[in-house]
Every structure is written in C-alpha cells, then in structure tokens.
Amino acid sequence: MTPTPSFSLAFDPRHGEPVAVADTVVRVTADNPSAFTFHGTNSYIVGSQTLAVIDPGPESEPHLAALVSAIGGRPVSHIFVTHTHADHSPLARRLRDETGARIVGAAAHHAARELHIGELNPLDAAADRAHEPDRVLGHGDIVDGDDWQIETIATPGHTANHLAFALSDTGLVFTGDHVMGWATSIVAPPDGAMADYMASLDTMVARAGADRRYLPGHGGTVDNPIAFVRGLKTHRKMRERAILERVRAGDATIPAMVANIYRDTDPRLHGAAGLSVLAHLEDMVARGLVETDGPPAIDGRFRPA
C-alpha cells in the first residue's frame, strides 16, 4: 500500500513580505491565520515583465498594500483565482481596480449539488458570492503572458469550481486548496464532493512526469508531488474504511463517528471533520456500501448496506 503523506508544519509566512519561491515566482502570505488557513493565504506573483497574480486573497487593506508593493509598478495582465472561498478570491476585485488586470479562472461560486429539503449550507459564509470573473477557465485552457504561460487543471472537490494552474515548462503547479503540505483539504457538502475530489487526485497523478513541485494556497511547497498525491489517496481510503468500521460497530450518527475517528484532532475542526465524514458517506451511499433513510444528511442515521 502507498504510504500516507508526511504533512509538515514547518513554514515561515513572513506576512506581507515578498518571498521568492522559484524563478520569477514570488509568494506574499496574507496575515489571516486560523485553524482552516494555517498561517494565512498564499498569493503568488508570476513573471518579470507583465505579471500574473494567483489567488489575491481575502478582503484586506494590508494585504492589498503588500501585493501592490511587491508588484512594484509593473503591469499586471491577469488575476487568477483557484476557487471562490473568502480567503482566496475577494481581493481580486480591488486588485483589478488597482491594476486594470482581468480576473480569470474559477467560475462564480456554486455548490456541487442542490440543497436537500430543509438542509442549510454550513459553509455559506465562507463563499465569495460576489465573484464575477472576466473569463472562466476550463480544463486545458491556456493563458499566455509576456514571459509565462499558465495551463488550467480542473480539480473540483474542495469546491465545485476549484482549479489548479500549471506554470508551463517549469514543473510548478499552483494547487490552491486541492493539495496542501500542512493538512488535508476540507471536502464539505454541498459545496464540495468526495467523488469529485478523488477523481481530481487522479487527474494530478496522471500528470506524473510533468510536475515537480506544488505551490499551495496555504503553507509551504510540496516536493515529490505525485508520491504525495498517491499518499493523499491512501489517506482518504483509510478514512473511508475507518468510517465503514464505525458504522458496522454501531455508530449510527456522524457526531459519534467524529468522536471516535478524530479524537486526536483539534476540537475547533470537529465541525469540519463532520462535514468531511458526510462527504465520505455521500459517496459510500452512492456506491452501495452504507444505507440511510432519504438523502445522506449531517443529522442522519446510517447503517451498513
């Protein structure tokens, strides 16, 4: 079996400072640390002549000032957005006003599925519903700059509209929240879907040989990325087996499963863990491994198929 990934918490954010992470790639990390964002959101500036900015980050005056300072008066042609969570995309509009660049990438925010009757979206406040890109990018779309070319990789799962961006001929991929080196990505219905997420991991594995380093939306770089992604798949499969074991052991509710499976996890993340368990259960019900009455729900009761 492929080993699970080795996550690393070693990361110096140097909030607001431009940090060179590769030739013609600079990282600027926003000062918005939390249990979900680690030390903050990484924005990336690409190019040496006309620039691109990837994931400008949250609505923040200090972060906008830091990005403008790092841009240093050079022209910016494109602002790429991996997905529409409030820690990644809102500042795109302010930066567009500042630079005249086009916002490209993720489509307007939308869920992976419709809400069930009576269901509320617990992550609704995290969505940037004001996001209106100048151009929506799809899988395989390419955007050319003066001295850079960026290819779009569709990676739904964390959100339905999630994208990653490969910097052509460098082996570098900006992975947003799809793959991160410090922790697993949250997959939470209805915004995200586990089946989509697993398929997107396969999409990244299929790029073996093309990619040598990931630059995520939070935390440090991921080296040897294909092995890391294979490890993520193993981790998710192990989590699925743990959930199935708890269902077979009589844990009929998601809180009971979380209490057993995530006993060593920061309690602040137990709500997100419950949504991740729901994402797995949605997939397992669809595959006939688990049963429930009606659509799978956060407050539902589950039993072995």
Side-chain angles (χ1 to χ4, degrees):
M1 178 182 292
T2 302
T4 56
S6 297
F7 297 108
S8 174
L9 300 181
F11 178 65
D12 180 5
R14 293 168 59 180
H15 292 125
E17 297 181 26
V19 178
V21 292
D23 289 342
T24 70
V25 179
V26 168
R27 187 197 77 228
V28 182
T29 302
D31 191 6
N32 62 327
S34 75
F36 298 97
T37 61
F38 194 35
H39 287 290
T41 303
N42 293 332
S43 301
Y44 296 96
I45 299 171
V46 178
S48 58
Q49 301 175 41
T50 299
L51 309 179
V53 176
I54 297 175
D55 275 355
E59 180 60 52
S60 163
E61 289 289 347
H63 192 53
L64 176 62
L67 288 176
V68 170
S69 176
I71 289 166
R74 291 170 291 177
V76 180
S77 61
H78 295 83
I79 301 166
F80 290 80
V81 171
T82 61
H83 66 292
T84 47
H85 275 159
D87 58 320
H88 285 260
S89 58
L91 202 60
R93 298 180 285 280
R94 297 278 303 282
L95 192 61
R96 176 174 59 187
D97 292 342
E98 187 77 28
T99 65
R102 300 181 71 207
I103 298 174
V104 301
H109 192 84
H110 62 280
R113 61 162 173 78
E114 297 296 324
L115 287 171
H116 303 312
I117 294 174
E119 183 184 18
L120 298 176
N121 184 349
L123 296 181
D124 195 53
D128 176 14
R129 298 194 179 277
H131 177 72
E132 294 182 357
D134 297 300
R135 179 188 173 191
V136 175
L137 297 177
H139 186 72
D141 284 347
I142 291 174
V143 177
D144 288 303
D146 282 351
D147 59 349
W148 50 263
Q149 182 183 77
I150 288 177
E151 177 189 357
T152 306
I153 308 167
T155 50
H158 174 66
T159 59
N161 63 355
H162 198 287
L163 304 172
F165 300 112
L167 187 59
S168 299
D169 300 322
T170 67
L172 301 176
V173 183
F174 303 92
T175 54
D177 283 3
H178 179 52
V179 177
M180 300 176 290
W182 75 284
T184 56
S185 178
I186 293 171
V187 181
D191 282 2
M194 189 58 67
D196 290 345
Y197 181 78
M198 295 299 286
S200 293
L201 291 181
D202 287 336
T203 296
M204 302 305 286
V205 170
R207 293 177 55 86
D211 304 333
R212 64 177 179 83
R213 178 178 293 170
Y214 291 167
L215 302 174
H218 306 278
T221 62
V222 175
D223 300 312
N224 197 9
I226 302 305
F228 191 86
V229 171
R230 290 190 175 115
L232 284 177
K233 288 186 62 180
T234 297
H235 175 83
R236 293 289 182 175
K237 289 295 186 182
M238 289 174 62
R239 184 69 75 214
E240 178 184 286
R241 284 196 294 273
I243 293 168
L244 187 57
E245 288 172 2
R246 293 315 312 167
V247 172
R248 289 171 173 167
D251 287 354
T253 67
I254 288 176
M257 298 177 209
V258 169
N260 281 299
I261 297 171
Y262 292 89
R263 62 171 60 93
D264 296 325
T265 299
D266 185 339
R268 294 178 298 169
L269 298 177
H270 277 195
L275 292 171
S276 180
V277 170
L278 174 60
H280 275 290
L281 286 166
E282 283 189 343
D283 184 40
M284 294 162 75
V285 167
R287 291 157 52 204
L289 299 175
V290 175
E291 294 179 350
T292 187
D293 296 325
I298 194 72
D299 58 355
R301 297 186 68 82
F302 300 87
R303 58 187 178 272

